[in-house]
Amino acid sequence: MSEKFEKAEKSERPEKEAVARPAFDAAHWQARLDALRAAHHVPGATLAVLVDGGIHELASGVLHRGTGVEVTTDSVFQSGSIAKIYTSTLVMRLADEGRLDLDAPVRDVLPEFETADEEATRTITTRQLLSHTGGLTCDFTYDAGRGDDCLQKYVEAARGVALDCRPGTAVSYSSLGYNVLGRIVEVLTGLTWDAALKEYLFAPLGLERSMTLPEEALAHRVAMSHLGEPGREPDPAPAWDLMPRSAGPYGRVLVSAGDVARLARMHLDGGTGPDGTRVMSAAAVEEMQRRVVDVPDKWTVSSDGWGLGWTLYNWDGVIGYGHDGAAIGQYGYLRVVPHAGVAVVLLTNGGGARELYGALFRELLGTFADVRMPDAFEPPAQPPAVDFARHVGRYERAGVVITVSERDGKPHLVYEFVDGMKDFSPPLDVALHPVAEGVYAGTGAGPSFSEGYMPVVFATLTDGTECCYIGMRVAPKAA
């Protein structure tokens, strides 16, 4: 394994005094998982906690409310965007081996890569895609079929899709960018993205309950997605897997919670597997955790910044990393606290998953990692005085139009899918409550964005463009 990143600076992490932690009490945490899962109407969940070098796995509820099949610790869930950590780890391994220059234009590897902006096409780098700073949009979906060429077709179909913003001017969460990364993996390895994951990550780490395709998942106990109104018991979705194969690199790794924790342990162990096999260099592991960009919206995924793949957290001086994931009706959460050697993984199949995560992780991370997670995002009891008039207008990005106005004298916005995404959801009417200057709590969008309120953040990009952040995506002001 090449030491390509060996000269990289060490990440800044506050030194922590060793503190005595309680032993993991499986009965206690099983009871908490059961109670909180039921309280928040989550049909089923699995929990994995890495602490003191051991992984503890718990399960609660049912895989499918229609059949009543129970969740077990070896059950497989859809991880949603936690898949991006698998893709970024795979890309960093290839860079570690000297097969990829993170700072060279993507076009050096993928001559067919193209955006709607000619200059951006020439300059966007792999590092920018990893850190969501390339300007590529998130909401471009395209079913390229079930063939091994699905990512190649996806990248070709994405030609001409408008950028959210100019490369390097902001962080804007991009699933399209991660599919481009997946295609880079294919070109460099000569394998499909699916096969490369097996060879470079699943096999050396012994991940026996990690896969990418439905036919592989059918050999396991599989969680069904559930959909419904917040605060009620959700019903099984019309189909188990509503995502195309081409969604793989950004959102389609099928896993057990324990296997996600095993991937996290490799990162905590400096790039080595459980048997000492080196998957990537320690320097490359640290490079992934180094802050690339601050995040104006610090609430949608609880992030303080972004690294190369990892979402970065700063809990009152305690540094961590992780990622959230959302498939259609399934939600996953991963948090890693390096100073404590702790990782926590929660996978769910619907209901108030975000609220379950918030309550359970506050307890777990507080107990085992000295972390105080922030309270749920919500407007203060005494709303601050803000200048809302400056934000009124129309904001646009590919597939989405956001109209900000005053309705009955109060801040309001309409979030509308358009063009190829117009059938995704009816328009959302959102009342806005001021939290701070440029920061608002939106009602009416459901708990997927946060624990009850949707963060809406207005910011100015480095090139002076005014924008609106919703769901970690930039929408520039158009009028």
Side-chain angles (χ1 to χ4, degrees), residues 71-420:
V71 181
T72 54
T73 56
D74 60 355
S75 296
V76 171
F77 288 70
Q78 297 179 46
S79 68
S81 285
I82 292 175
K84 291 182 175 70
I85 296 304
Y86 290 79
T87 298
S88 57
T89 299
L90 189 50
V91 168
M92 291 299 288
R93 172 164 177 165
L94 295 175
D96 204 20
E97 294 174 346
R99 301 163 72 178
L100 176 64
D101 181 351
L102 299 182
D103 295 307
V106 168
R107 266 205 159 174
D108 285 3
V109 181
L110 291 184
E112 67 272 26
F113 172 67
E114 186 177 324
T115 76
D117 184 292
E118 185 177 344
E119 180 182 358
T121 299
R122 293 196 309 267
T123 61
I124 291 172
T125 66
T126 300
R127 186 183 299 275
Q128 289 176 323
L129 297 185
L130 286 167
S131 59
H132 299 283
T133 57
L136 272 67
T137 192
C138 189
D139 296 316
F140 174 74
T141 58
Y142 177 73
D143 188 346
R146 286 275 302 163
D148 287 350
D149 60 353
C150 64
L151 285 183
Q152 179 182 352
K153 289 181 176 179
Y154 178 100
V155 172
E156 291 172 353
R159 292 175 175 175
V161 173
L163 299 175
D164 285 352
C165 56
R166 289 175 52 209
T169 61
V171 56
S172 189
Y173 191 74
S174 175
S175 289
L176 192 162
Y178 267 74
N179 265 12
V180 174
L181 291 171
R183 180 60 186 152
I184 288 174
V185 168
E186 294 187 333
V187 169
L188 293 179
T189 64
L191 303 169
T192 63
W193 170 81
D194 310 77
L197 275 187
K198 292 182 176 70
E199 181 172 324
Y200 288 90
L201 288 183
F202 296 170
L205 293 177
L207 305 183
E208 298 179 351
R209 294 184 179 87
S210 299
M211 62 221 69
T212 60
L213 299 174
E215 56 266 32
E216 299 168 323
L218 285 172
H220 303 265
R221 295 171 70 95
V222 182
M224 183 67 180
S225 298
H226 291 74
L227 303 171
E229 294 296 321
R232 300 179 182 177
E233 297 292 344
D235 294 319
W240 167 71
D241 183 8
L242 298 171
M243 300 175 72
R245 183 179 176 184
S246 56
Y250 71 72
R252 203 163 178 272
V253 176
L254 315 171
V255 287
S256 69
D259 267 11
V260 179
R262 292 176 186 96
L263 176 70
R265 180 166 61 185
M266 182 272 288
H267 283 271
L268 281 171
D269 289 346
T272 59
D275 62 355
T277 299
R278 181 154 293 282
V279 176
M280 59 199 301
S281 73
V285 168
E286 287 213 11
E287 183 80 358
M288 289 183 68
Q289 299 168 28
R290 187 170 296 109
R291 182 186 298 262
V292 173
V293 62
D294 291 334
V295 175
D297 174 2
K298 300 182 184 302
W299 302 275
T300 294
V301 294
S302 309
S303 60
D304 184 65
W306 223 284
L308 298 183
W310 290 115
T311 305
L312 306 180
Y313 314 104
N314 185 332
W315 298 290
D316 293 331
V318 179
I319 303 303
Y321 55 91
H323 213 283
D324 290 357
I328 299 175
Q330 300 198 35
Y331 306 93
Y333 307 89
L334 165 62
R335 299 291 182 269
V336 185
V337 189
H339 87 86
V342 166
V344 183
V345 182
L346 176 70
L347 302 178
T348 69
N349 62 349
R354 180 82 183 187
E355 296 163 318
L356 167 60
Y357 143 77
L360 188 59
F361 277 43
R362 284 186 182 94
E363 295 183 20
L364 283 163
L365 294 181
T367 299
F368 295 110
D370 195 28
V371 164
R372 186 192 183 282
M373 287 175 54
D375 295 332
F377 177 74
E378 60 185 7
Q382 295 296 324
V386 296
D387 181 9
F388 179 72
R390 60 184 293 228
H391 305 308
V392 170
R394 178 183 174 95
Y395 300 77
E396 298 179 357
R397 59 183 172 82
V400 172
V401 171
I402 300 167
T403 304
V404 178
S405 64
E406 288 192 1
R407 180 174 291 184
D408 299 325
K410 296 180 180 179
H412 183 271
L413 73 77
V414 176
Y415 187 96
E416 183 179 8
F417 289 110
V418 296
D419 302 327

